[in-house]
Amino acid sequence: MTDITKLRNIGIAAHIDSGKTTLSERILFFTGKIHQVVETRSKTGGGPTMDSMDLEREKGITIQSAATYCQWKDYKINLIDTPGHIDFTVEVERALRVLDGAILVLCGVAGVQSQSITVARQMHRYAVPKIAFINKVDRAGANPDKVIGQLEEKLNLKPVMLTMPIGLEDNFEGVVDLIKMKAVYYRGANGEDVIEENIPEHLVDEANRRRITMIERIADFDDNIAEKYLGEEDISIDEIRAAIRKATVALHITPVFVGTAKQHKGIQTLLDGVGYYLPSPTDIPNYALDIDNNEEQVELKVDSKLPTVALAFKLEDGKYGQLTYMKIYQGKIAKGDNLINSSSKKKLKVPRLVRMHSSEMNDIEEAAAGDIIAMFGVDCASGDTFTDGNINYAMTSMHVPTPVVELSIAPKEKSMQVNFSKAMNSFQKEDPTFQVYRDEDSGETVMRGMGELHLEIYVERIKREYNCEVIVGQPKVAYREAITKRADFNYTHKKQTGGSGQFARVAGYIEPMAAEATEVYEFSNKIVGGVIAKEYIPACDKGFGEQLQEGYLIDQPIVGVKVELNDGQMHPVDSSEMAFKLAAKAAIREAVAKAAPILLEPIMKLETSAPEEFQGAVIGQINQRRGMIINTNVEGNYAIVEAEVPLKDMFGYSNDLRGATQGKGEFTMEFLKYSPVPKSVQEEIITNHNESNKK
């Protein structure tokens, strides 16, 4: 069995195009997992190991987080390469949920970009200790000090530089290790020979100055280092490393390394840093909820002798069926073991255990607490917890962002319906942000996702993986509805036919919840004196909830509504659950009409960057799209414009931006909040909705 203290479950996360996948390739190369390196946009050789999907290779971006494992010196590393594109943010969320540490990759030229901020926020949400790697320091305009300043200002981190560059841009030769105070060069055809030499004379003063800064930063969090530093005593390499590790795991500091993945420089030093400073599974507390004890929080122990608890954090549909990635938090799992799914209560016999190396599989007999493995033939959903049946625990659920773009989709041929349904079911299981529903009015199948690219990728996957040609509608915005004032209801449902009739009366009021609530509604039962029997209350609750889901203005869910039921009436013979449910639905319909309903639209956080001369054109385009400029600044020769814009007006933006900036503009966009639609726009949306329903 592996020494658990030498195990590292790490992820690589960053803004798109910062070089994450290239860095993963180099890590696999230097750890001996692959024997040649392939560039991300290589026209030959098929593309990087970690981007195993054809689509990933064509687009030069990472879509699914790939898992692999490797060995560096004494350390065993489970590595997840996560996507940087915001549409695939749930993949980043999944990875961070189960990882113990992460490498935050930053471009030495562009520095902290919008997605770096998003990723850092996700790491903060899951309290993931991290080290930063400033990549591309060989590029023109590279400035590691600027990036370190941004880590502090934009991300509120406490960066501590552990390696400094020897030269920059075309002159980048290697790094100075500020702990050992040695110059490190990466020689050989692919930088495989790590040579330590004395620091070049012209850099000695700078290295001494940076080392003092490093020691001072560590001393803020370590009394032993502070005492020795103030007493001008020697501090050993082991003491410095122990102090950095402790402060990193406690989230006080972020060690920073510099290098260039493309030129094979600085990677081995970074790998040493993964071993020295990132936590092992034993360093990170993990908790489960005890279902048999009011979901009380229980700390799990990384101990293979205790009852098993594992989390299915990612699903993939491969040629051999569903592949389920699992992190074992406690206990162990062996081939042939019986496990229980805490959500579905289904029993499962472990059929096959594998370790993943991107799309390749290596069979194993068993795995223990702290490890990440994959399993075949397991029917479950992403986020399900598995135990050995001796305990009834569930892991806390993962944060899932709100899907905001809709697209109608249908198979071209009737004969493809089976494959189409398989694809839809499979994608929903593997991706909680991909949702499918049937529009009852139009009879269309509609899919929802995080953005145009997100849905475009799934459309492409249906064609390639399921051999199913599809017809796709125009992207549509996922609106919500809301009410703006209180309204009372008092509705009697009465139906008399032959035999027993139906009777139910419900009374109460609805009112808006606090602003920007995304919950559908809150139900408050204030019935006294038994005017409605207890057994009918759940039917009322269900009726209210169902009607709010159906909407009022354009058939979109009504959110942020509090419903109070405080009076009613029943009949000894004619009342039933169905009668009260129907009464509740009709009561809500009437009440919403009186409660001044409005439409809410998704507002996106937009960050656009383009050469400075195009700043006016970029701002003009955002203003035309009802955007509100939040901030503009110029870094290098690039103007960066931050804005909040309605999603409705952002379709086709990428083409317009390219046209206005000679193809040099880039943007990232993520969901921010739902906000009321302006009255004139609301009327236009309702008119269009009513007209399309008539067709």
Side-chain angles (χ1 to χ4, degrees):
M1 294 293 270
T2 313
D3 175 359
I4 201 80
T5 63
K6 300 285 188 190
L7 178 62
R8 300 289 177 268
N9 292 317
I10 66 163
I12 297 185
H15 185 91
I16 192 164
D17 272 350
S18 298
K20 301 179 305 301
T21 302
T22 308
L23 177 62
S24 299
E25 285 295 295
R26 301 308 186 256
I27 287 174
L28 295 181
F29 174 72
F30 287 121
T31 55
K33 290 298 285 190
I34 57 174
H35 303 292
Q36 69 169 57
V37 287
V38 182
E39 297 312 320
T40 309
R41 289 184 172 85
S42 165
K43 296 286 177 266
T44 60
T49 312
M50 295 294 272
D51 283 354
S52 56
M53 280 168 72
D54 292 341
L55 270 164
E56 295 179 304
R57 295 177 176 187
E58 280 171 32
K59 291 183 181 282
I61 63 169
T62 300
I63 294 164
Q64 290 186 314
S65 48
T68 190
Y69 70 99
C70 52
Q71 184 94 16
W72 176 250
K73 297 182 179 170
D74 293 342
Y75 297 98
K76 188 181 145 203
I77 300 170
N78 282 319
L79 176 71
I80 304 266
D81 176 29
T82 61
H85 197 289
I86 193 64
D87 283 3
F88 305 103
T89 186
V90 75
E91 289 283 343
V92 184
E93 295 274 349
R94 280 191 180 121
L96 294 178
R97 173 72 181 81
V98 299
L99 293 174
D100 304 320
I103 301 173
L104 176 62
V105 185
L106 301 148
C107 171
V109 182
V112 172
Q113 295 161 277
S114 61
Q115 270 251 225
S116 322
I117 297 169
T118 304
V119 166
R121 199 168 58 232
Q122 289 171 321
M123 288 181 183
H124 181 71
R125 181 183 295 134
Y126 294 110
V128 178
K130 64 198 130 320
I131 56 180
F133 180 65
I134 300 176
N135 194 20
K136 304 187 182 184
V137 294
D138 57 325
R139 286 250 313 260
N143 184 345
D145 285 324
K146 181 194 84 172
V147 182
I148 283 176
Q150 291 175 339
L151 282 170
E152 205 146 4
E153 291 154 31
K154 291 188 175 183
L155 302 185
N156 295 321
L157 298 176
K158 291 271 188 299
V160 177
M161 198 180 213
L162 302 189
T163 65
M164 74 174 224
I166 299 173
L168 280 175
E169 302 179 348
D170 290 345
N171 301 319
F172 178 66
E173 294 176 56
V175 302
V176 172
D177 182 332
L178 296 171
I179 297 175
K180 288 183 176 177
M181 285 304 273
K182 286 281 184 189
V184 185
Y185 298 98
Y186 308 90
R187 306 242 163 89
N190 289 313
E192 55 268 47
D193 302 325
V194 180
I195 311 292
E196 287 188 3
E197 294 178 5
N198 289 331
I199 299 168
E201 258 179 59
H202 69 285
L203 291 177
V204 170
D205 287 349
E206 185 191 343
N208 282 325
R209 195 176 67 249
R210 288 187 186 275
R211 181 183 165 87
I212 288 167
T213 304
M214 175 190 79
I215 300 282
E216 284 173 349
R217 286 226 127 168
I218 305 165
D220 287 344
F221 302 102
D222 191 289
D223 293 343
N224 174 44
I225 300 287
E227 271 176 39
K228 290 200 164 188
Y229 173 63
L230 292 170
E232 296 183 5
E233 294 174 49
D234 281 344
I235 307 170
S236 73
I237 288 173
D238 287 346
E239 284 175 314
I240 293 173
R241 282 181 181 153
I244 293 172
R245 178 183 175 76
K246 193 171 146 195
T248 304
V249 172
L251 305 176
H252 292 318
I253 64 167
T254 302
V256 178
F257 295 83
V258 298
T260 160
K262 200 168 183 181
Q263 304 296 338
H264 311 88
K265 291 176 182 167
I267 312 304
Q268 296 97 315
T269 314
L270 174 71
L271 279 167
D272 287 340
V274 166
Y276 289 138
Y277 311 122
L278 286 182
S280 76
T282 53
D283 296 320
I284 300 292
N286 282 296
Y287 299 93
L289 303 175
D290 187 345
I291 298 168
D292 295 338
N293 197 8
N294 287 328
E295 296 201 350
E296 195 178 299
Q297 215 177 46
V298 186
E299 186 170 351
L300 299 173
K301 299 271 192 300
V302 185
D303 184 341
S304 59
K305 295 184 181 69
L306 291 173
T308 301
V309 181
L311 176 75
F313 68 94
K314 177 176 163 52
L315 311 181
E316 251 173 49
D317 216 15
K319 51 189 171 187
Y320 305 112
Q322 182 175 298
L323 181 66
T324 305
Y325 287 88
M326 275 195 201
K327 162 100 182 260
I328 307 171
Y329 284 93
Q330 185 175 280
K332 65 179 193 304
I333 295 178
K335 204 169 148 182
D337 278 359
N338 287 316
L339 296 176
I340 303 276
N341 183 330
S342 295
S343 310
S344 65
K345 304 301 176 208
K346 281 185 185 166
K347 202 176 219 183
L348 136 91
K349 189 166 181 144
V350 177
R352 183 182 172 194
L353 280 183
V354 294
R355 266 193 220 297
M356 293 305 292
H357 172 38
S358 188
S359 56
E360 293 169 25
M361 285 161 274
N362 300 318
D363 280 279
I364 53 172
E365 287 304 307
E366 70 168 28
D371 222 339
I372 289 176
I373 45 108
M375 246 185 236
F376 273 106
V378 177
D379 180 25
C380 68
S382 184
D384 282 356
T385 303
F386 287 86
T387 69
D388 57 10
N390 292 317
I391 44 175
N392 191 11
Y393 288 179
M395 302 298 293
T396 47
S397 62
M398 188 176 65
H399 170 80
V400 177
T402 314
V404 288
V405 176
E406 297 188 344
L407 207 57
S408 66
I409 184 167
K412 247 184 192 167
E413 311 284 338
K414 276 252 166 70
S415 58
M416 295 174 176
Q417 185 65 49
V418 173
N419 280 10
F420 177 75
S421 298
K422 268 187 191 167
M424 290 291 138
N425 289 335
S426 168
F427 296 157
Q428 283 185 93
K429 266 187 169 182
E430 73 179 55
D431 182 352
T433 61
F434 178 81
Q435 297 171 1
V436 179
Y437 74 96
R438 185 177 166 77
D439 186 323
E440 294 304 332
D441 294 327
S442 65
E444 293 176 322
T445 299
V446 179
M447 53 184 191
R448 275 194 190 130
M450 297 306 297
E452 281 181 277
L453 177 66
H454 189 209
L455 295 181
E456 189 188 305
I457 293 294
Y458 278 116
V459 168
E460 205 56 45
R461 284 184 64 192
I462 293 168
K463 291 178 190 171
R464 294 179 189 212
E465 294 171 30
Y466 291 87
N467 200 18
C468 176
E469 290 292 324
V470 288
I471 304 160
V472 178
Q474 287 298 310
K476 288 191 297 194
V477 175
Y479 291 103
R480 295 285 181 268
E481 300 179 24
I483 57 170
T484 54
K485 65 179 191 183
R486 175 179 158 144
D488 294 322
F489 60 83
N490 186 349
Y491 185 85
T492 304
H493 172 73
K494 204 186 275 186
K495 202 171 182 185
Q496 199 64 50
T497 49
S500 63
Q502 289 183 10
F503 180 89
R505 181 171 78 83
V506 291
Y509 66 86
I510 63 171
E511 64 179 1
M513 280 190 209
E516 290 179 16
T518 52
E519 292 305 306
V520 175
Y521 93 119
E522 185 185 307
F523 173 61
S524 175
N525 173 23
K526 290 289 195 297
I527 292 293
V528 288
V531 290
I532 298 176
K534 269 185 186 164
E535 63 263 31
Y536 296 142
I537 301 296
C540 297
D541 183 6
K542 198 172 181 188
F544 294 144
E546 281 183 16
Q547 190 58 45
L548 289 168
Q549 278 295 333
E550 287 173 23
Y552 177 78
L553 297 170
I554 58 166
D555 305 329
Q556 291 291 335
I558 306 168
V559 297
V561 179
K562 183 180 178 191
V563 181
E564 180 173 299
L565 178 67
N566 54 30
D567 197 8
Q569 195 180 339
M570 57 183 183
H571 186 279
V573 177
D574 293 348
S575 285
S576 64
E577 285 187 15
M578 179 54 76
F580 273 99
K581 184 178 163 184
L582 292 170
K585 289 185 83 161
I588 288 291
R589 268 198 303 273
E590 280 190 4
V592 168
K594 298 184 288 185
I598 57 166
L599 284 184
L600 302 176
E601 64 181 341
I603 301 294
M604 311 301 281
K605 183 177 155 198
L606 173 74
E607 183 176 293
T608 303
S609 61
E612 201 177 347
E613 68 259 32
F614 300 115
Q615 185 172 351
V618 167
I619 289 172
Q621 280 190 341
I622 293 170
N623 287 334
Q624 281 171 356
R625 290 176 144 79
R626 292 195 288 133
M628 186 166 76
I629 308 291
I630 301 298
N631 189 24
T632 59
N633 59 48
V634 177
E635 288 181 10
N637 301 322
Y638 263 71
I640 294 160
V641 181
E642 292 172 33
E644 292 178 8
V645 286
L647 176 62
K648 176 183 185 292
D649 296 278
M650 287 306 289
F651 295 122
Y653 178 61
S654 53
N655 289 338
D656 291 356
L657 178 66
R658 277 198 292 271
T661 60
Q662 296 171 11
K664 295 172 184 166
E666 289 181 348
F667 76 97
T668 59
M669 189 169 74
E670 65 176 297
F671 172 70
L672 181 66
K673 63 185 177 187
Y674 271 98
S675 281
V677 173
K679 202 156 181 50
S680 58
V681 180
Q682 175 167 315
E683 284 163 11
E684 179 198 326
I685 295 166
I686 293 171
T687 305
N688 290 343
H689 172 76
N690 292 338
E691 280 174 8
S692 67
N693 274 359
K694 283 177 196 166
K695 288 175 186 173

